[in-house]
Amino acid sequence: MTVDDRQLEMVSPLDAPRPAVSSRHVVQAIVQFGHLLHYRRKLVLGTVAACAILGTVYYGCASRYYQTQATLLVLQAGADVASPSMTDGETARQFMPTNERLLQMPVVLKKALSRLSPEERGDLGNQSAESAVQALRSNLSVKSTRGTNLIEVSYVSRQPRAAVAVINSVVQAYLDFMDETHAGTARQILDVLTREKSSVETRLREKEEELRQIRQDIQDLGIREGGKVVHPALQRAVRLNEELMRARQERLAAQASLATIQHTIQQGGSLDQHLLNLEESLGRTLLLSGLGFDSRENQMRASLEKTLLTDQAELDSKSKYLGPNHPEVQEIRRRMELTRQYLQGYQTRLTQQLQDLRQTELGPLLVRMAEQRLAQATEHERGVRAGFEQARDEAVRLHGDLAQLEIVEHDLKWLRELRDVLLNRIANIDLRRDEGEIRTTVVREPALPSRPFSPQGKWVAVASLGLGLLLGCAAVYIEDILDDRFRASEELRVALQVPVLAEIRRWESSAAAGPAKAGADALIVKAQPQAVESEAIRSLRTVLAFSHRDASRLVVSSAEPGDGKTTVLSNLGLVFAQSRKRTLLIDSDLRRPGLTTLWELRGESGLSSVLQGEDAISDMAARYVRDAGVAELDVLPAGPRVTNPTEWLLHPRFSELLEWADKHYDMVLVDSPPILVASDAAVAGRLADGMLLVVQPEKNRRRVVTRAVERLTALDVDLLGVVANAVPDHPREGKYGYGENYGYQDEAYGADFDGDEADSPVHDKKTPPAKKAA
C-alpha cells in the first residue's frame, strides 16, 4: 500500500459502525467475569460462608412441617343411570379439574372439619369455622397426574398424626358428598317410577275386577269363534288400544330421558349418548334444524349423490370408447368434481356447525328436543286415547259385552306389560344406587410421615450455597462497577481483544537519572540498564522484532495524558538503537510536545517547520533532525506551535516525511497525542504500520481505555498491542501488579551481565542522512 492510499478519510467515531454482539463476545465477557471472581474470591467465599451460617441457624430454629399424601382413582360411569357403561379414558379425564376443585370447596372442607376431634385438628386449633376452612385450604394441595385418572391429595402440618387425620377426613367427606349427590338424583327418578308403578297396579286391579265381573255377567267361557274379531269397528278399537300402549310407553321413555338429561347437565357429564338415544328421524330433523339445514337442502344433497353415481357410470362407459382426453369425458369429470366439492362443503359445514353446537348449545338443544319429544308423546297419547275411547264406545254399542270383554282383556295385558317394564327399570336403579357417574376409589392411604417435609437439610444447603454465590457475584459486580480498573494482564487482553506486549514496572525517574539529567541520561534503559524495567523495554523490542517484522513505522499513544507514552517511546527507541538499528523519534504532538521537552529541544525547528515549509522534504528533514547523543538514534522535535495541528498532519507533506524516514531509518517511532484528547493519533496511526497503546492499569479506567480502542477500530487503525506501564511491584488485593520480581541482578544471570547484547534479528543498516549540527 502506498502512502497516498493511506491518506486518512476523516470519519467521526459516532458514524462508525458499532460491532455486533456475538457469541464470542458473550463468552469473553463470561471469562472476564470469571477472572474477576477469582481476584475477588475472598469476598465471594465470605458471602457464601455468611449465607451458610444463616442457613444453619434457620435449619436449627425453623418449625418442622410434615406432609402426607393420599391417591384417588377417579372413573366415570355411563351417563344413563339405568344402563351402566364405562366411557373412554379421555372423557373421564375431562372431569379431573372438576374433581380437583371439588376437593377444595368449602362444602367438602366443612364436612371434613366436622369429622375431626380437637386432638386431630392440629394446626387448625380452635379457630372459627371460616378461618379453619381457609387454613385447611391453604395447607391442602390437590393435583392430578397428567395423562392419568389419579388425583394426589396432600396436607402439611406441624403434627404428623394430625396430617394423616386431616387427609382421611377430607377424602371421606369428598366420597360422602359424591354419594349423597348421586343418591339424591337416583332417588328422584326412583320416586317417579314408583309412583307410576303404584298407579299401574291400581288400574291393573281395577281391570282384573272389571274383567271378572263382565265374564260373570255374560257367562264367558273364554272361547272366541275362530280367534278373530270380524267387525271393522272392533278391529279399529283393538289397534287403537295397542297404539295407546305404545304411546304410553313412549311418553314414559321420554319422561325418563328428560330427567336423565337434566341430571347429566347438572353433573357436567357427556351428552353424546343422549343425542344417539333420540329417535333417528326426530333427532336428525331437530338437529339439522338447529344447524341451519332444511329439508330442501337434504333433498338436493340426495339428488346430487344420485347424479354423482349416474355420472360415474357414464364416465366408466365413455372412457372405454372415447378415451380419457375426449371433451365429453372431460366435461363429465368436471361436473363430477363440482358435485363432489359441493357435497364435501356440505359435510364440512355440517361437521363444523355440529362441533360448535357441541361446545355451546348441545345441552339446551337436547333439553328442548327431549321436552318436545315428551310433549309430542303426551299429545300423541292423548289423541290415541281419545280415538281409542271413541272406538271402544262404538264397539260396545255394536257388539255389547263381547267387545267390552276384548277391550278389557287388551287393557289388562297392556297394564301387565307396563308393570313389568316399570319393575325392570326400578330394579336397575336399585342395582346402581351406589354407583354414580363419577366413581372414586382410594388407591393409596395416607401414611404417617417419619421425616419432616420442611425444612430439608439438603435443600437448605443448596439454597444457602446458591444465595451466597448469587450475593457474592452481585457484590463483586457492584464493586467492579465502582472501581473498574484493570487487575491483570489477562483481564486487559480479554477486555481490549489485543495482546499485552509488555508490562513495565513503576520506577522513579528522579532516583534513576537524578534531577539535573535530561535526554538519553534520563531514560531508565541507559541510567539502569540492568534494572527490571530496562529488561521489560528490551522484551517489548524483541516482541515487535519477531511478531511484527514488517512494522518499521510505529505510533505510540495512550488513552489519557500522563500515561507515560513519551517515556516508553524514548526508551524503546533507545533499545532499538542499542541493537544497531537506525532509529528516528518524531514528536507529532503539536499541542503538548512531551518528546521535545524530554530531549530538551524546545524552541528548535522541527515537524511543524517541515509541514509548513516549501522546500523539498528530504532537505528540510535532514536539516531539522537532531542527534540524540546516542549512536543510531535521532530525534525530530515538534517545532513551533501551530493553531490547527490536525489539518497539518493531514497535509500530504506529513506522509512524504514518513516515506523519507522509511528510506533512511530502520525504525520510525512517532509520539502522538492521547487518543481521546484529539484525532491526531488516528491520523498518524492510519499512516503507520501499527500503533502501540500505553496504559497505566492503576490510573486508567476500563471504560476510558475501551473507548479509545473502539475509536481506533472504527477508524481502521492497526493496533498491534498494549504496553502496561507503571505496574506496581507489590499490588494490593485485587489490584494490578507486576507478576514476578526479577532482573539482571538475579543469580541465574550473574551480576556482570551485559545489557547491550544483540538480541534482535539480523538487519540491513540503512545509510544515515546528513544531519545538521544542533
Side-chain angles (χ1 to χ4, degrees):
M1 179 183 294
T2 62
V3 176
D4 293 337
D5 295 333
R6 293 182 178 179
Q7 291 296 324
L8 179 64
E9 297 178 1
M10 294 303 295
V11 179
S12 173
L14 297 177
D15 298 333
R18 295 181 179 271
V21 179
S22 61
S23 58
R24 182 171 60 89
H25 295 155
V26 175
V27 173
Q28 292 171 353
I30 295 175
V31 172
Q32 182 178 354
F33 190 70
H35 288 293
L36 185 62
L37 292 178
H38 174 72
Y39 289 110
R40 293 285 191 268
R41 57 185 177 275
K42 290 185 178 180
L43 177 60
V44 176
L45 293 176
T47 307
V48 172
C51 290
I53 294 174
L54 293 177
T56 304
V57 172
Y58 165 76
Y59 183 75
C61 300
S63 300
R64 266 50 177 175
Y65 289 89
Y66 297 85
Q67 183 187 56
T68 185
Q69 293 181 343
T71 303
L72 306 180
L73 175 62
V74 180
L75 299 176
Q76 180 191 9
D80 188 357
V81 296
S83 57
S85 62
M86 297 302 298
T87 59
D88 58 1
E90 288 298 328
T91 305
R93 283 192 286 273
Q94 292 178 359
F95 293 91
M96 298 300 288
T98 302
N99 289 277
E100 290 181 30
R101 295 196 59 184
L102 186 59
L103 277 162
Q104 303 180 71
M105 296 298 289
V107 63
V108 175
L109 299 182
K110 288 180 180 179
K111 288 179 178 292
L113 289 173
S114 64
R115 292 173 171 271
L116 296 173
S117 64
E119 294 79 11
E120 294 174 339
R121 294 174 68 93
D123 301 338
L124 303 177
N126 298 322
Q127 302 180 20
S128 62
E130 295 298 330
S131 301
V133 169
Q134 292 298 330
L136 176 58
R137 187 172 184 178
S138 62
N139 293 327
L140 185 68
S141 174
V142 181
K143 62 180 180 179
S144 60
T145 304
R146 183 177 181 87
T148 67
N149 292 347
L150 298 177
I151 295 180
E152 299 285 345
V153 185
S154 60
Y155 182 74
V156 178
S157 175
R158 285 182 291 186
Q159 301 178 13
R161 298 187 181 275
V164 175
V166 170
I167 284 291
N168 286 327
S169 180
V170 170
V171 172
Q172 190 59 45
Y174 164 75
L175 296 176
D176 293 345
F177 175 80
M178 296 298 294
D179 292 341
E180 292 173 2
T181 302
H182 168 69
T185 304
R187 188 178 296 111
Q188 294 176 3
I189 299 175
L190 182 61
D191 292 342
V192 173
L193 296 178
T194 303
R195 288 194 298 269
E196 187 69 20
K197 182 179 74 69
S198 300
S199 175
V200 170
E201 289 177 344
T202 302
R203 293 163 57 192
L204 181 61
R205 289 192 296 269
E206 293 175 354
K207 287 295 180 182
E208 289 176 346
E209 180 62 26
E210 182 181 358
L211 177 62
R212 187 188 63 79
Q213 187 64 39
I214 292 176
R215 284 181 175 179
Q216 183 179 358
D217 293 342
I218 65 173
Q219 297 180 353
D220 180 48
L221 299 178
I223 301 175
R224 300 291 181 269
E225 183 180 357
K228 297 182 179 179
V229 179
V230 177
H231 199 281
L234 188 57
Q235 292 180 353
R236 178 172 176 270
V238 173
R239 288 195 302 270
L240 288 176
N241 184 39
E242 295 174 351
E243 182 67 19
L244 179 60
M245 289 190 298
R246 289 193 295 270
R248 287 180 179 177
Q249 291 179 355
E250 291 179 359
R251 177 180 61 80
L252 291 175
Q255 186 176 0
S257 178
L258 176 60
T260 304
I261 291 174
Q262 291 176 343
H263 168 67
T264 303
I265 293 176
Q266 292 176 359
Q267 296 298 323
S270 174
L271 299 174
D272 294 344
Q273 185 65 30
H274 300 290
L275 182 62
L276 297 176
N277 288 338
L278 291 176
E279 183 177 351
E280 181 178 359
S281 60
L282 176 61
R284 182 176 180 85
T285 302
L286 293 177
L287 184 59
L288 291 177
S289 177
L291 294 174
F293 296 91
D294 54 11
S295 58
R296 290 179 298 177
E297 191 166 359
N298 293 333
Q299 295 174 1
M300 180 182 295
R301 179 174 177 271
S303 176
L304 289 175
E305 290 178 346
K306 183 177 180 181
T307 302
L308 184 62
L309 294 176
T310 304
D311 291 340
Q312 182 64 42
E314 184 180 357
L315 176 64
D316 295 338
S317 177
K318 290 186 176 182
S319 296
K320 296 179 180 179
Y321 302 100
L322 301 180
N325 297 325
H326 195 272
E328 293 184 9
V329 175
Q330 295 294 332
E331 177 62 23
I332 294 174
R333 288 180 176 174
R334 185 186 65 80
R335 187 167 63 245
M336 291 177 63
E337 182 63 23
L338 293 177
T339 304
R340 289 194 184 97
Q341 292 179 0
Y342 175 82
L343 293 177
Q344 185 178 3
Y346 174 88
Q347 186 65 30
T348 302
R349 288 187 291 116
L350 180 61
T351 303
Q352 181 62 37
Q353 295 188 21
L354 179 58
Q355 183 66 24
D356 297 339
L357 185 63
R358 286 176 182 270
Q359 298 177 357
T360 58
E361 301 178 0
L362 183 56
L365 178 60
L366 287 178
V367 172
R368 291 196 300 271
M369 293 172 65
E371 291 175 348
Q372 292 176 7
R373 181 183 178 185
L374 178 59
Q376 291 175 359
T378 304
E379 186 64 23
H380 178 63
E381 182 183 6
R382 187 181 298 112
V384 172
R385 180 180 286 109
F388 169 73
E389 292 174 353
Q390 182 181 1
R392 184 182 60 186
D393 294 339
E394 292 178 359
V396 170
R397 287 193 301 270
L398 291 173
H399 297 282
D401 294 339
L402 184 59
Q404 184 178 1
L405 180 61
E406 293 287 345
I407 293 173
V408 171
E409 288 179 346
H410 279 286
D411 288 346
L412 185 61
K413 180 182 178 181
W414 173 79
L415 289 173
R416 287 172 178 171
E417 292 177 352
L418 180 59
R419 182 188 61 180
D420 294 339
V421 171
L422 293 175
L423 288 174
N424 289 332
R425 295 177 70 86
I426 291 173
N428 290 334
I429 291 179
D430 286 340
L431 291 175
R432 297 194 61 220
R433 291 195 60 174
D434 293 333
E435 298 181 8
E437 287 189 356
I438 300 299
R439 297 191 301 173
T440 306
T441 305
V442 180
V443 296
R444 187 178 68 178
E445 298 286 346
L448 184 67
S450 59
R451 295 181 179 180
F453 170 75
S454 174
Q456 296 184 13
K458 61 179 181 179
W459 293 116
V460 172
V462 171
S464 301
L465 179 60
L467 181 61
L469 290 176
L470 181 63
L471 294 179
C473 294
V476 170
Y477 180 74
I478 293 175
E479 185 177 1
D480 183 63
I481 291 178
L482 297 178
D483 182 15
D484 64 341
R485 294 179 176 86
F486 295 102
R487 296 171 180 82
S489 60
E490 181 65 19
E491 181 179 354
L492 186 64
R493 182 190 65 80
V494 172
L496 303 181
Q497 291 301 297
V498 293
V500 179
L501 302 178
E503 294 183 359
I504 303 175
R505 193 173 62 177
R506 179 186 299 162
W507 77 86
E508 298 296 337
S509 59
S510 60
K517 294 183 179 181
D521 295 333
L523 301 179
I524 187 68
V525 174
K526 185 174 183 181
Q528 298 181 12
Q530 297 179 349
V532 175
E533 297 81 1
S534 302
E535 176 60 25
I537 297 295
R538 283 189 285 269
S539 298
L540 174 60
R541 176 198 64 190
T542 303
V543 170
L544 293 175
F546 283 99
S547 301
H548 305 281
R549 296 177 180 270
D550 298 332
S552 62
R553 189 189 307 178
L554 301 178
V555 175
V556 181
S557 184
S558 61
E560 299 176 299
D563 292 339
K565 61 178 180 60
T566 301
T567 305
V568 171
L569 178 139
S570 300
N571 282 278
L572 181 61
L574 183 57
V575 296
F576 271 122
Q578 290 175 352
S579 63
R580 295 184 295 277
K581 283 181 176 289
R582 290 285 299 160
T583 305
L584 175 63
L585 308 181
I586 301 178
D587 190 356
S588 66
D589 190 352
L590 303 180
R591 305 169 190 271
R592 296 179 59 184
L595 182 65
T596 301
T597 303
L598 176 64
W599 292 92
E600 294 184 330
L601 297 176
R602 294 183 65 87
E604 298 282 345
S605 299
L607 177 62
S608 62
S609 304
V610 175
L611 298 179
Q612 292 177 332
E614 297 181 357
D615 296 342
I617 291 294
S618 58
D619 297 338
M620 298 191 69
R623 186 186 313 152
Y624 298 137
V625 167
R626 300 291 183 259
D627 187 0
V630 177
E632 309 295 344
L633 182 64
D634 293 331
V635 179
L636 179 61
R641 186 180 298 272
V642 294
T643 57
N644 47 355
T646 304
E647 285 74 7
W648 283 110
L649 292 178
L650 288 170
H651 198 278
R653 290 180 66 87
F654 183 59
S655 61
E656 295 176 4
L657 173 64
L658 295 179
E659 281 190 346
W660 172 86
D662 269 345
K663 296 177 181 179
H664 294 84
Y665 291 90
D666 298 317
M667 295 298 300
V668 178
L669 305 180
V670 181
D671 185 13
S672 65
I675 298 171
L676 298 180
V677 173
S679 59
D680 300 2
V683 174
R686 288 289 296 270
L687 298 176
D689 297 329
M691 175 179 287
L692 301 180
L693 182 63
V694 178
V695 176
Q696 280 200 28
E698 283 204 336
K699 171 179 174 293
N700 300 132
R701 296 187 177 274
R702 281 200 304 267
R703 289 187 294 271
V704 175
V705 180
T706 302
R707 190 162 63 248
V709 174
E710 290 177 350
R711 177 173 295 184
L712 294 177
T713 303
L715 296 176
D716 197 20
V717 176
D718 187 9
L719 182 60
L720 301 182
V722 175
V723 178
N725 189 32
V727 178
D729 192 9
H730 300 287
R732 292 170 292 173
E733 177 64 26
K735 300 296 184 180
Y736 199 111
Y738 199 77
E740 300 192 19
N741 186 10
Y742 62 90
Y744 281 104
Q745 295 87 349
D746 198 311
E747 294 179 359
Y749 295 102
D752 299 328
F753 190 87
D754 185 6
D756 293 336
E757 82 286 3
D759 55 354
S760 297
V762 178
H763 62 277
D764 295 331
K765 182 176 179 181
K766 298 182 181 179
T767 304
K771 295 189 294 182
K772 180 179 178 181

